Amino acid sequence: MDSITVTLGERSYPITIAAGLFSNPASFMPLQRGDLAMLVTNDTLASLYLEPVRSVLEQAGVIVDQVILPDGEQHKSLAVLDQVFTALLQKPHGRDTTLIALGGGVIGDLVGFAAASYQRGVRFIQAPTTLLSQVDSSVGGKTAVNHPLGKNMIGAFYQPASVVIDIDSLKTLPANELASGLAEVIKYGIILDYDFFVWLEDHLDELLSLDPGALAYCIRRCCELKAQVVAADEREHGLRALLNLGHTYGHAIETHMGYGNWLHGEAVAAGMVMAANAARRLGQFSDEDLARTRKLLLRAGLPVSGPEQMAPEDYLPHMMRDKKVLSGKLRLVLPLGLGSAEVRTGIENNIVLASIADCQD
Amino acid sequence: MDSITVTLGERSYPITIAAGLFSNPASFMPLQRGDLAMLVTNDTLASLYLEPVRSVLEQAGVIVDQVILPDGEQHKSLAVLDQVFTALLQKPHGRDTTLIALGGGVIGDLVGFAAASYQRGVRFIQAPTTLLSQVDSSVGGKTAVNHPLGKNMIGAFYQPASVVIDIDSLKTLPANELASGLAEVIKYGIILDYDFFVWLEDHLDELLSLDPGALAYCIRRCCELKAQVVAADEREHGLRALLNLGHTYGHAIETHMGYGNWLHGEAVAAGMVMAANAARRLGQFSDEDLARTRKLLLRAGLPVSGPEQMAPEDYLPHMMRDKKVLSGKLRLVLPLGLGSAEVRTGIENNIVLASIADCQD
């Protein structure tokens, strides 16, 4: 059983990674006999994991309440958040309750915000069931719900008491969602760790066939890398921005195509190739590194170019609305070879347009 | 111009107290020329203060947006909170915006929570306009909205960037709301500061006639006392509980009578006399101190007994639902003479009943 610690002073917490954790009562520490917990999941996952997790907790003497939310990004709303508060108050749950988020990024973000704001903050355990949420949203403390006028606009920085990653949950994950998670995995190699990039080149097939040892190492390494970044920059003033490699291009694809048509990781994969092309044109990324990046993404089943119906000019208006734009000039995360990256300011539009066109040849 | 600092490490902030602050652009520091701000108030206060404050900010070069909410505790809800988010996103306001809460406790609590959660936290300035909010909610960082199943159940601990207390705003406050604020003022003397209690005995008439010097000293002293308590115990694990003197009895009155029929301070005043009687029966509060407490509250125009229609037995079920109840025995804040208090556990019901009956003679 792998375990790492996210170091944030008195808000430090452990991430445990192994197969079979959802069948082991010890996984859900610090819950103890006699504690009250609220298990929150969505209607898709409920049929797969709700009863097993509930029964394991009850065997350990935890009093388990539950609420099942509708599945999907469109339900990451204040109205659905209120359903969680209503369920908590109906029992009622006191300040000493624990919320357990059993699901992917939507459940994790929403339940995390519910935990941050119920009675001004209660304990929160994350049990992420998608590769994307395991390597991304389980570290960093970003919680949120969407508003009709903007994604993730209402939320809090709030850390869980622990994160429980049962690798077996990936067995029920659709292939395109596994690939979407791999885009974020590959991102960590590009921006922070050349050795991990090489490891991914060597072990991608094992990850795709859900080899437990390879998955455990991979998820652990991503969590370690993100934990280092977050410990150094919890509120995203500097270093943490590197985690957005490919995201400015990717958000343009997601927004233009309508949420749900391109998975987040698919859009980020295409966006990383575009960023790599921009870096190549600025003389800081070699043709060879670009070829290796493209090859690894393709092997993972990910796109290396944007949607055919989007011209380079279609990206710019979306990209200019990015939070990183300053005085009308783009700021982009660009790789500096494999294993390091920088935030670069004042990039001319013609470089951006060319970096997108490069992917359409 | 009086100014004190609430000391909370990097979240420390100033409270400025004087007449005429709302007419002085320097009051709303750290806002600067070119900053964007969202001024939030209610429809009662809007006709009194919105235009003057807006025009002073605009003179100082601040870009001012505004949202006017319905007045009243019943509007301290998630739905009204969402109105603030919608207004912020329509402009749109970015992470560098500043929310200004212009109003009493309802506005302060709701806008504080909006600031805590909009884009995971933006800057927040409090301009409290009631004596109660000036001496109570402007220090401590408690923000919240109500849920139909419970008061203040959804919120955050979030500190303002500054608090601006314009004493002139009390000129438009109804007399019973001024008295309600004085109940909390007198509470600080009883639980923490005998000298301040004596000062109140000597200067109450000046406070009632809104003498600016007396008001400024009084508000400053209350903020100092609360700031000391909060700095020592931000998350209410110990010392901060003393601030609840009279509140367990008082909440029983408010709940039994229906919110709005007894003002919060009125219920707390009666509750403090009941707590003083319980302390007297337990041998830790003298008849003389009780008489001085009753006399000061009466001079302030406050009740020293509960509603005639409530029998002592009517209090207990409400009091047993208090968050401080442990294993079926009440915990109460009790005075230890004038100027100090303690949280006392395991108080028998017959003492509680007698302490209420004492006030009905």
Side-chain angles (χ1 to χ4, degrees), chain A residues 78 82 85-86 89 95 117-120 143 147 153-155 323, chain B residues 78 82 85-86 89 95 117 119-120 142-143 147 153-155 323:
Chain A
L78 270 184
D82 200 18
F85 294 135
T86 301
L89 286 163
R95 280 187 207 171
S117 44
Y118 184 64
Q119 299 203 21
R120 301 195 185 94
T143 73
H147 185 281
M153 282 296 163
I154 306 164
K323 291 193 282 285
Chain B
L78 272 184
D82 200 18
F85 294 135
T86 301
L89 286 163
R95 282 187 206 171
S117 44
Q119 298 204 22
R120 300 193 187 96
K142 283 191 180 176
T143 72
H147 186 281
M153 282 297 163
I154 307 163
K323 289 193 283 283

PDB file of all heavy atoms in Angstrom, chain A residues 78 82 85-86 89 95 117-120 143 147 153-155 323, chain B residues 78 82 85-86 89 95 117 119-120 142-143 147 153-155 323:
ATOM      1  N   LEU A  78     -24.951  25.388  -7.460  1.00  0.00           N
ATOM      2  CA  LEU A  78     -25.399  25.787  -6.113  1.00  0.00           C
ATOM      3  C   LEU A  78     -26.651  25.019  -5.715  1.00  0.00           C
ATOM      4  O   LEU A  78     -26.823  24.662  -4.547  1.00  0.00           O
ATOM      5  CB  LEU A  78     -25.725  27.288  -6.079  1.00  0.00           C
ATOM      6  CG  LEU A  78     -24.620  28.280  -5.728  1.00  0.00           C
ATOM      7  CD1 LEU A  78     -25.209  29.683  -5.668  1.00  0.00           C
ATOM      8  CD2 LEU A  78     -23.941  27.945  -4.405  1.00  0.00           C
ATOM      9  N   ASP A  82     -26.980  22.650  -2.447  1.00  0.00           N
ATOM     10  CA  ASP A  82     -28.012  22.829  -1.419  1.00  0.00           C
ATOM     11  C   ASP A  82     -28.664  21.491  -1.049  1.00  0.00           C
ATOM     12  O   ASP A  82     -29.061  21.287   0.103  1.00  0.00           O
ATOM     13  CB  ASP A  82     -29.060  23.825  -1.931  1.00  0.00           C
ATOM     14  CG  ASP A  82     -29.876  24.431  -0.794  1.00  0.00           C
ATOM     15  OD1 ASP A  82     -29.431  24.363   0.364  1.00  0.00           O
ATOM     16  OD2 ASP A  82     -30.969  24.944  -1.074  1.00  0.00           O
ATOM     17  N   PHE A  85     -26.538  20.115   1.670  1.00  0.00           N
ATOM     18  CA  PHE A  85     -26.796  20.784   2.952  1.00  0.00           C
ATOM     19  C   PHE A  85     -28.116  20.301   3.556  1.00  0.00           C
ATOM     20  O   PHE A  85     -28.210  20.067   4.763  1.00  0.00           O
ATOM     21  CB  PHE A  85     -26.849  22.305   2.773  1.00  0.00           C
ATOM     22  CG  PHE A  85     -25.546  22.924   2.366  1.00  0.00           C
ATOM     23  CD1 PHE A  85     -25.492  23.883   1.362  1.00  0.00           C
ATOM     24  CD2 PHE A  85     -24.357  22.559   2.984  1.00  0.00           C
ATOM     25  CE1 PHE A  85     -24.295  24.466   0.984  1.00  0.00           C
ATOM     26  CE2 PHE A  85     -23.142  23.135   2.614  1.00  0.00           C
ATOM     27  CZ  PHE A  85     -23.117  24.086   1.613  1.00  0.00           C
ATOM     28  N   THR A  86     -29.138  20.177   2.728  1.00  0.00           N
ATOM     29  CA  THR A  86     -30.451  19.739   3.235  1.00  0.00           C
ATOM     30  C   THR A  86     -30.342  18.346   3.840  1.00  0.00           C
ATOM     31  O   THR A  86     -30.849  18.092   4.933  1.00  0.00           O
ATOM     32  CB  THR A  86     -31.484  19.772   2.094  1.00  0.00           C
ATOM     33  OG1 THR A  86     -31.559  21.115   1.600  1.00  0.00           O
ATOM     34  CG2 THR A  86     -32.861  19.335   2.588  1.00  0.00           C
ATOM     35  N   LEU A  89     -28.631  18.546   7.192  1.00  0.00           N
ATOM     36  CA  LEU A  89     -29.422  19.171   8.259  1.00  0.00           C
ATOM     37  C   LEU A  89     -30.631  18.337   8.631  1.00  0.00           C
ATOM     38  O   LEU A  89     -31.177  18.487   9.727  1.00  0.00           O
ATOM     39  CB  LEU A  89     -29.854  20.584   7.835  1.00  0.00           C
ATOM     40  CG  LEU A  89     -28.701  21.587   7.885  1.00  0.00           C
ATOM     41  CD1 LEU A  89     -29.033  22.843   7.086  1.00  0.00           C
ATOM     42  CD2 LEU A  89     -28.373  21.953   9.336  1.00  0.00           C
ATOM     43  N   ARG A  95     -21.067  19.546  13.771  1.00  0.00           N
ATOM     44  CA  ARG A  95     -19.755  20.005  13.324  1.00  0.00           C
ATOM     45  C   ARG A  95     -18.724  18.888  13.267  1.00  0.00           C
ATOM     46  O   ARG A  95     -17.659  19.044  12.676  1.00  0.00           O
ATOM     47  CB  ARG A  95     -19.197  21.026  14.329  1.00  0.00           C
ATOM     48  CG  ARG A  95     -19.745  22.383  14.186  1.00  0.00           C
ATOM     49  CD  ARG A  95     -18.985  23.307  15.121  1.00  0.00           C
ATOM     50  NE  ARG A  95     -19.829  24.428  15.503  1.00  0.00           N
ATOM     51  CZ  ARG A  95     -19.505  25.304  16.435  1.00  0.00           C
ATOM     52  NH1 ARG A  95     -18.361  25.195  17.089  1.00  0.00           N
ATOM     53  NH2 ARG A  95     -20.313  26.288  16.705  1.00  0.00           N
ATOM     54  N   SER A 117     -17.947  24.665   3.647  1.00  0.00           N
ATOM     55  CA  SER A 117     -18.904  25.688   4.074  1.00  0.00           C
ATOM     56  C   SER A 117     -19.982  25.180   5.028  1.00  0.00           C
ATOM     57  O   SER A 117     -20.637  26.002   5.675  1.00  0.00           O
ATOM     58  CB  SER A 117     -19.535  26.372   2.846  1.00  0.00           C
ATOM     59  OG  SER A 117     -19.900  25.460   1.860  1.00  0.00           O
ATOM     60  N   TYR A 118     -20.181  23.863   5.187  1.00  0.00           N
ATOM     61  CA  TYR A 118     -21.190  23.387   6.138  1.00  0.00           C
ATOM     62  C   TYR A 118     -20.729  23.707   7.557  1.00  0.00           C
ATOM     63  O   TYR A 118     -19.647  23.269   7.978  1.00  0.00           O
ATOM     64  CB  TYR A 118     -21.424  21.879   5.982  1.00  0.00           C
ATOM     65  CG  TYR A 118     -22.523  21.355   6.883  1.00  0.00           C
ATOM     66  CD1 TYR A 118     -23.834  21.790   6.727  1.00  0.00           C
ATOM     67  CD2 TYR A 118     -22.262  20.442   7.897  1.00  0.00           C
ATOM     68  CE1 TYR A 118     -24.852  21.329   7.553  1.00  0.00           C
ATOM     69  CE2 TYR A 118     -23.267  19.965   8.722  1.00  0.00           C
ATOM     70  CZ  TYR A 118     -24.565  20.420   8.545  1.00  0.00           C
ATOM     71  OH  TYR A 118     -25.573  19.965   9.373  1.00  0.00           O
ATOM     72  N   GLN A 119     -21.500  24.464   8.263  1.00  0.00           N
ATOM     73  CA  GLN A 119     -21.140  24.919   9.614  1.00  0.00           C
ATOM     74  C   GLN A 119     -19.731  25.522   9.653  1.00  0.00           C
ATOM     75  O   GLN A 119     -19.005  25.352  10.626  1.00  0.00           O
ATOM     76  CB  GLN A 119     -21.317  23.789  10.634  1.00  0.00           C
ATOM     77  CG  GLN A 119     -22.765  23.313  10.683  1.00  0.00           C
ATOM     78  CD  GLN A 119     -23.113  22.627  11.991  1.00  0.00           C
ATOM     79  OE1 GLN A 119     -22.468  22.807  13.015  1.00  0.00           O
ATOM     80  NE2 GLN A 119     -24.181  21.836  11.976  1.00  0.00           N
ATOM     81  N   ARG A 120     -19.357  26.194   8.555  1.00  0.00           N
ATOM     82  CA  ARG A 120     -18.054  26.862   8.382  1.00  0.00           C
ATOM     83  C   ARG A 120     -16.883  25.880   8.365  1.00  0.00           C
ATOM     84  O   ARG A 120     -15.748  26.251   8.650  1.00  0.00           O
ATOM     85  CB  ARG A 120     -17.825  27.935   9.458  1.00  0.00           C
ATOM     86  CG  ARG A 120     -18.878  29.022   9.474  1.00  0.00           C
ATOM     87  CD  ARG A 120     -18.445  30.238  10.272  1.00  0.00           C
ATOM     88  NE  ARG A 120     -19.539  31.192  10.362  1.00  0.00           N
ATOM     89  CZ  ARG A 120     -20.398  31.238  11.382  1.00  0.00           C
ATOM     90  NH1 ARG A 120     -20.269  30.413  12.389  1.00  0.00           N
ATOM     91  NH2 ARG A 120     -21.367  32.115  11.375  1.00  0.00           N
ATOM     92  N   THR A 143     -11.783  23.540  -4.410  1.00  0.00           N
ATOM     93  CA  THR A 143     -13.150  23.037  -4.442  1.00  0.00           C
ATOM     94  C   THR A 143     -14.006  24.100  -5.114  1.00  0.00           C
ATOM     95  O   THR A 143     -13.652  25.277  -5.091  1.00  0.00           O
ATOM     96  CB  THR A 143     -13.684  22.785  -3.028  1.00  0.00           C
ATOM     97  OG1 THR A 143     -13.939  24.050  -2.397  1.00  0.00           O
ATOM     98  CG2 THR A 143     -12.708  21.986  -2.192  1.00  0.00           C
ATOM     99  N   HIS A 147     -21.270  28.340 -11.933  1.00  0.00           N
ATOM    100  CA  HIS A 147     -22.376  29.298 -12.011  1.00  0.00           C
ATOM    101  C   HIS A 147     -22.789  29.327 -13.482  1.00  0.00           C
ATOM    102  O   HIS A 147     -21.938  29.076 -14.347  1.00  0.00           O
ATOM    103  CB  HIS A 147     -21.881  30.673 -11.545  1.00  0.00           C
ATOM    104  CG  HIS A 147     -22.957  31.722 -11.456  1.00  0.00           C
ATOM    105  ND1 HIS A 147     -23.435  32.382 -12.560  1.00  0.00           N
ATOM    106  CD2 HIS A 147     -23.645  32.200 -10.397  1.00  0.00           C
ATOM    107  CE1 HIS A 147     -24.383  33.240 -12.176  1.00  0.00           C
ATOM    108  NE2 HIS A 147     -24.520  33.146 -10.853  1.00  0.00           N
ATOM    109  N   MET A 153     -16.701  29.140 -10.474  1.00  0.00           N
ATOM    110  CA  MET A 153     -16.640  30.524 -10.015  1.00  0.00           C
ATOM    111  C   MET A 153     -16.939  30.674  -8.523  1.00  0.00           C
ATOM    112  O   MET A 153     -16.675  31.712  -7.936  1.00  0.00           O
ATOM    113  CB  MET A 153     -17.617  31.387 -10.826  1.00  0.00           C
ATOM    114  CG  MET A 153     -17.079  31.731 -12.204  1.00  0.00           C
ATOM    115  SD  MET A 153     -15.572  32.749 -12.063  1.00  0.00           S
ATOM    116  CE  MET A 153     -14.880  32.565 -13.692  1.00  0.00           C
ATOM    117  N   ILE A 154     -17.519  29.625  -7.888  1.00  0.00           N
ATOM    118  CA  ILE A 154     -17.915  29.720  -6.479  1.00  0.00           C
ATOM    119  C   ILE A 154     -17.251  28.556  -5.746  1.00  0.00           C
ATOM    120  O   ILE A 154     -17.542  27.394  -6.038  1.00  0.00           O
ATOM    121  CB  ILE A 154     -19.446  29.606  -6.344  1.00  0.00           C
ATOM    122  CG1 ILE A 154     -20.131  30.633  -7.252  1.00  0.00           C
ATOM    123  CG2 ILE A 154     -19.871  29.778  -4.889  1.00  0.00           C
ATOM    124  CD1 ILE A 154     -21.603  30.350  -7.483  1.00  0.00           C
ATOM    125  N   GLY A 155     -16.351  28.852  -4.820  1.00  0.00           N
ATOM    126  CA  GLY A 155     -15.666  27.750  -4.168  1.00  0.00           C
ATOM    127  C   GLY A 155     -14.757  28.212  -3.041  1.00  0.00           C
ATOM    128  O   GLY A 155     -14.862  29.327  -2.548  1.00  0.00           O
ATOM    129  N   LYS A 323      -7.707  33.953 -17.755  1.00  0.00           N
ATOM    130  CA  LYS A 323      -7.330  34.758 -16.583  1.00  0.00           C
ATOM    131  C   LYS A 323      -5.876  35.205 -16.629  1.00  0.00           C
ATOM    132  O   LYS A 323      -5.465  36.083 -15.904  1.00  0.00           O
ATOM    133  CB  LYS A 323      -7.574  33.952 -15.297  1.00  0.00           C
ATOM    134  CG  LYS A 323      -9.056  33.727 -14.994  1.00  0.00           C
ATOM    135  CD  LYS A 323      -9.285  33.225 -13.587  1.00  0.00           C
ATOM    136  CE  LYS A 323      -8.976  31.752 -13.420  1.00  0.00           C
ATOM    137  NZ  LYS A 323      -9.990  30.863 -14.004  1.00  0.00           N
TER     138      LYS A 323
ATOM    139  N   LEU B  78     -29.081  31.228   0.470  1.00  0.00           N
ATOM    140  CA  LEU B  78     -28.297  30.862  -0.709  1.00  0.00           C
ATOM    141  C   LEU B  78     -28.833  31.538  -1.972  1.00  0.00           C
ATOM    142  O   LEU B  78     -28.061  31.929  -2.847  1.00  0.00           O
ATOM    143  CB  LEU B  78     -28.320  29.342  -0.923  1.00  0.00           C
ATOM    144  CG  LEU B  78     -27.276  28.469  -0.237  1.00  0.00           C
ATOM    145  CD1 LEU B  78     -27.453  27.021  -0.688  1.00  0.00           C
ATOM    146  CD2 LEU B  78     -25.852  28.929  -0.544  1.00  0.00           C
ATOM    147  N   ASP B  82     -26.703  34.002  -4.371  1.00  0.00           N
ATOM    148  CA  ASP B  82     -26.539  33.777  -5.807  1.00  0.00           C
ATOM    149  C   ASP B  82     -26.779  35.065  -6.605  1.00  0.00           C
ATOM    150  O   ASP B  82     -26.143  35.274  -7.640  1.00  0.00           O
ATOM    151  CB  ASP B  82     -27.499  32.667  -6.259  1.00  0.00           C
ATOM    152  CG  ASP B  82     -27.064  32.037  -7.575  1.00  0.00           C
ATOM    153  OD1 ASP B  82     -25.892  32.191  -7.965  1.00  0.00           O
ATOM    154  OD2 ASP B  82     -27.908  31.389  -8.221  1.00  0.00           O
ATOM    155  N   PHE B  85     -23.468  36.734  -6.720  1.00  0.00           N
ATOM    156  CA  PHE B  85     -22.566  36.103  -7.699  1.00  0.00           C
ATOM    157  C   PHE B  85     -22.957  36.492  -9.128  1.00  0.00           C
ATOM    158  O   PHE B  85     -22.099  36.768  -9.966  1.00  0.00           O
ATOM    159  CB  PHE B  85     -22.589  34.576  -7.565  1.00  0.00           C
ATOM    160  CG  PHE B  85     -22.034  34.062  -6.259  1.00  0.00           C
ATOM    161  CD1 PHE B  85     -22.698  33.071  -5.554  1.00  0.00           C
ATOM    162  CD2 PHE B  85     -20.856  34.576  -5.737  1.00  0.00           C
ATOM    163  CE1 PHE B  85     -22.186  32.587  -4.361  1.00  0.00           C
ATOM    164  CE2 PHE B  85     -20.340  34.097  -4.534  1.00  0.00           C
ATOM    165  CZ  PHE B  85     -21.011  33.102  -3.840  1.00  0.00           C
ATOM    166  N   THR B  86     -24.252  36.483  -9.404  1.00  0.00           N
ATOM    167  CA  THR B  86     -24.710  36.822 -10.752  1.00  0.00           C
ATOM    168  C   THR B  86     -24.302  38.251 -11.108  1.00  0.00           C
ATOM    169  O   THR B  86     -23.780  38.505 -12.202  1.00  0.00           O
ATOM    170  CB  THR B  86     -26.234  36.642 -10.851  1.00  0.00           C
ATOM    171  OG1 THR B  86     -26.552  35.287 -10.536  1.00  0.00           O
ATOM    172  CG2 THR B  86     -26.743  36.960 -12.243  1.00  0.00           C
ATOM    173  N   LEU B  89     -20.610  38.334 -11.879  1.00  0.00           N
ATOM    174  CA  LEU B  89     -20.216  37.692 -13.135  1.00  0.00           C
ATOM    175  C   LEU B  89     -20.750  38.433 -14.350  1.00  0.00           C
ATOM    176  O   LEU B  89     -20.223  38.297 -15.446  1.00  0.00           O
ATOM    177  CB  LEU B  89     -20.681  36.230 -13.142  1.00  0.00           C
ATOM    178  CG  LEU B  89     -19.841  35.332 -12.233  1.00  0.00           C
ATOM    179  CD1 LEU B  89     -20.555  34.026 -11.940  1.00  0.00           C
ATOM    180  CD2 LEU B  89     -18.477  35.057 -12.874  1.00  0.00           C
ATOM    181  N   ARG B  95     -10.682  38.305 -10.085  1.00  0.00           N
ATOM    182  CA  ARG B  95     -10.176  37.963  -8.747  1.00  0.00           C
ATOM    183  C   ARG B  95      -9.675  39.159  -7.965  1.00  0.00           C
ATOM    184  O   ARG B  95      -9.450  39.067  -6.765  1.00  0.00           O
ATOM    185  CB  ARG B  95      -8.964  37.031  -8.896  1.00  0.00           C
ATOM    186  CG  ARG B  95      -9.305  35.631  -9.192  1.00  0.00           C
ATOM    187  CD  ARG B  95      -8.017  34.817  -9.128  1.00  0.00           C
ATOM    188  NE  ARG B  95      -8.145  33.640  -9.962  1.00  0.00           N
ATOM    189  CZ  ARG B  95      -7.143  32.829 -10.257  1.00  0.00           C
ATOM    190  NH1 ARG B  95      -5.933  33.078  -9.781  1.00  0.00           N
ATOM    191  NH2 ARG B  95      -7.340  31.783 -11.009  1.00  0.00           N
ATOM    192  N   SER B 117     -16.158  33.066  -1.085  1.00  0.00           N
ATOM    193  CA  SER B 117     -16.328  31.990  -2.056  1.00  0.00           C
ATOM    194  C   SER B 117     -16.304  32.440  -3.523  1.00  0.00           C
ATOM    195  O   SER B 117     -16.136  31.594  -4.405  1.00  0.00           O
ATOM    196  CB  SER B 117     -17.602  31.185  -1.755  1.00  0.00           C
ATOM    197  OG  SER B 117     -18.674  32.010  -1.447  1.00  0.00           O
ATOM    198  N   GLN B 119     -14.790  33.143  -6.764  1.00  0.00           N
ATOM    199  CA  GLN B 119     -13.473  32.787  -7.314  1.00  0.00           C
ATOM    200  C   GLN B 119     -12.518  32.320  -6.206  1.00  0.00           C
ATOM    201  O   GLN B 119     -11.319  32.569  -6.267  1.00  0.00           O
ATOM    202  CB  GLN B 119     -12.898  33.949  -8.115  1.00  0.00           C
ATOM    203  CG  GLN B 119     -13.790  34.297  -9.302  1.00  0.00           C
ATOM    204  CD  GLN B 119     -13.047  34.993 -10.429  1.00  0.00           C
ATOM    205  OE1 GLN B 119     -11.837  34.884 -10.555  1.00  0.00           O
ATOM    206  NE2 GLN B 119     -13.783  35.687 -11.273  1.00  0.00           N
ATOM    207  N   ARG B 120     -13.074  31.638  -5.202  1.00  0.00           N
ATOM    208  CA  ARG B 120     -12.335  31.089  -4.042  1.00  0.00           C
ATOM    209  C   ARG B 120     -11.711  32.161  -3.157  1.00  0.00           C
ATOM    210  O   ARG B 120     -10.744  31.895  -2.442  1.00  0.00           O
ATOM    211  CB  ARG B 120     -11.263  30.090  -4.491  1.00  0.00           C
ATOM    212  CG  ARG B 120     -11.828  28.899  -5.251  1.00  0.00           C
ATOM    213  CD  ARG B 120     -10.795  27.797  -5.401  1.00  0.00           C
ATOM    214  NE  ARG B 120     -11.321  26.750  -6.263  1.00  0.00           N
ATOM    215  CZ  ARG B 120     -11.072  26.658  -7.570  1.00  0.00           C
ATOM    216  NH1 ARG B 120     -10.303  27.544  -8.158  1.00  0.00           N
ATOM    217  NH2 ARG B 120     -11.596  25.671  -8.269  1.00  0.00           N
ATOM    218  N   LYS B 142     -16.590  35.540  11.171  1.00  0.00           N
ATOM    219  CA  LYS B 142     -17.669  34.580  10.913  1.00  0.00           C
ATOM    220  C   LYS B 142     -18.581  35.132   9.824  1.00  0.00           C
ATOM    221  O   LYS B 142     -19.176  36.190   9.989  1.00  0.00           O
ATOM    222  CB  LYS B 142     -18.492  34.350  12.183  1.00  0.00           C
ATOM    223  CG  LYS B 142     -17.823  33.453  13.194  1.00  0.00           C
ATOM    224  CD  LYS B 142     -18.816  33.076  14.283  1.00  0.00           C
ATOM    225  CE  LYS B 142     -18.188  32.185  15.329  1.00  0.00           C
ATOM    226  NZ  LYS B 142     -19.119  31.898  16.431  1.00  0.00           N
ATOM    227  N   THR B 143     -18.686  34.402   8.719  1.00  0.00           N
ATOM    228  CA  THR B 143     -19.614  34.785   7.654  1.00  0.00           C
ATOM    229  C   THR B 143     -20.566  33.616   7.447  1.00  0.00           C
ATOM    230  O   THR B 143     -20.212  32.466   7.750  1.00  0.00           O
ATOM    231  CB  THR B 143     -18.874  35.056   6.334  1.00  0.00           C
ATOM    232  OG1 THR B 143     -18.419  33.804   5.791  1.00  0.00           O
ATOM    233  CG2 THR B 143     -17.682  35.970   6.524  1.00  0.00           C
ATOM    234  N   HIS B 147     -29.982  28.431   6.261  1.00  0.00           N
ATOM    235  CA  HIS B 147     -30.655  27.370   5.494  1.00  0.00           C
ATOM    236  C   HIS B 147     -32.052  27.253   6.104  1.00  0.00           C
ATOM    237  O   HIS B 147     -32.215  27.526   7.296  1.00  0.00           O
ATOM    238  CB  HIS B 147     -29.867  26.064   5.648  1.00  0.00           C
ATOM    239  CG  HIS B 147     -30.380  24.947   4.797  1.00  0.00           C
ATOM    240  ND1 HIS B 147     -31.482  24.208   5.136  1.00  0.00           N
ATOM    241  CD2 HIS B 147     -29.939  24.437   3.624  1.00  0.00           C
ATOM    242  CE1 HIS B 147     -31.698  23.295   4.189  1.00  0.00           C
ATOM    243  NE2 HIS B 147     -30.761  23.414   3.265  1.00  0.00           N
ATOM    244  N   MET B 153     -25.941  28.123   8.944  1.00  0.00           N
ATOM    245  CA  MET B 153     -25.416  26.769   8.758  1.00  0.00           C
ATOM    246  C   MET B 153     -24.436  26.663   7.594  1.00  0.00           C
ATOM    247  O   MET B 153     -23.712  25.679   7.476  1.00  0.00           O
ATOM    248  CB  MET B 153     -26.574  25.788   8.539  1.00  0.00           C
ATOM    249  CG  MET B 153     -27.284  25.426   9.835  1.00  0.00           C
ATOM    250  SD  MET B 153     -26.148  24.558  10.948  1.00  0.00           S
ATOM    251  CE  MET B 153     -27.015  24.703  12.512  1.00  0.00           C
ATOM    252  N   ILE B 154     -24.398  27.667   6.710  1.00  0.00           N
ATOM    253  CA  ILE B 154     -23.535  27.610   5.523  1.00  0.00           C
ATOM    254  C   ILE B 154     -22.666  28.855   5.529  1.00  0.00           C
ATOM    255  O   ILE B 154     -23.183  29.968   5.425  1.00  0.00           O
ATOM    256  CB  ILE B 154     -24.393  27.576   4.234  1.00  0.00           C
ATOM    257  CG1 ILE B 154     -25.425  26.454   4.315  1.00  0.00           C
ATOM    258  CG2 ILE B 154     -23.509  27.451   3.003  1.00  0.00           C
ATOM    259  CD1 ILE B 154     -26.556  26.610   3.293  1.00  0.00           C
ATOM    260  N   GLY B 155     -21.359  28.681   5.663  1.00  0.00           N
ATOM    261  CA  GLY B 155     -20.518  29.871   5.739  1.00  0.00           C
ATOM    262  C   GLY B 155     -19.047  29.544   5.758  1.00  0.00           C
ATOM    263  O   GLY B 155     -18.623  28.445   5.411  1.00  0.00           O
ATOM    264  N   LYS B 323     -25.588  23.873  20.709  1.00  0.00           N
ATOM    265  CA  LYS B 323     -24.376  23.149  20.290  1.00  0.00           C
ATOM    266  C   LYS B 323     -23.471  22.830  21.470  1.00  0.00           C
ATOM    267  O   LYS B 323     -22.583  22.003  21.372  1.00  0.00           O
ATOM    268  CB  LYS B 323     -23.601  23.986  19.263  1.00  0.00           C
ATOM    269  CG  LYS B 323     -24.299  24.075  17.907  1.00  0.00           C
ATOM    270  CD  LYS B 323     -23.392  24.635  16.825  1.00  0.00           C
ATOM    271  CE  LYS B 323     -23.218  26.131  16.909  1.00  0.00           C
ATOM    272  NZ  LYS B 323     -24.345  26.919  16.420  1.00  0.00           N
TER     273      LYS B 323
END
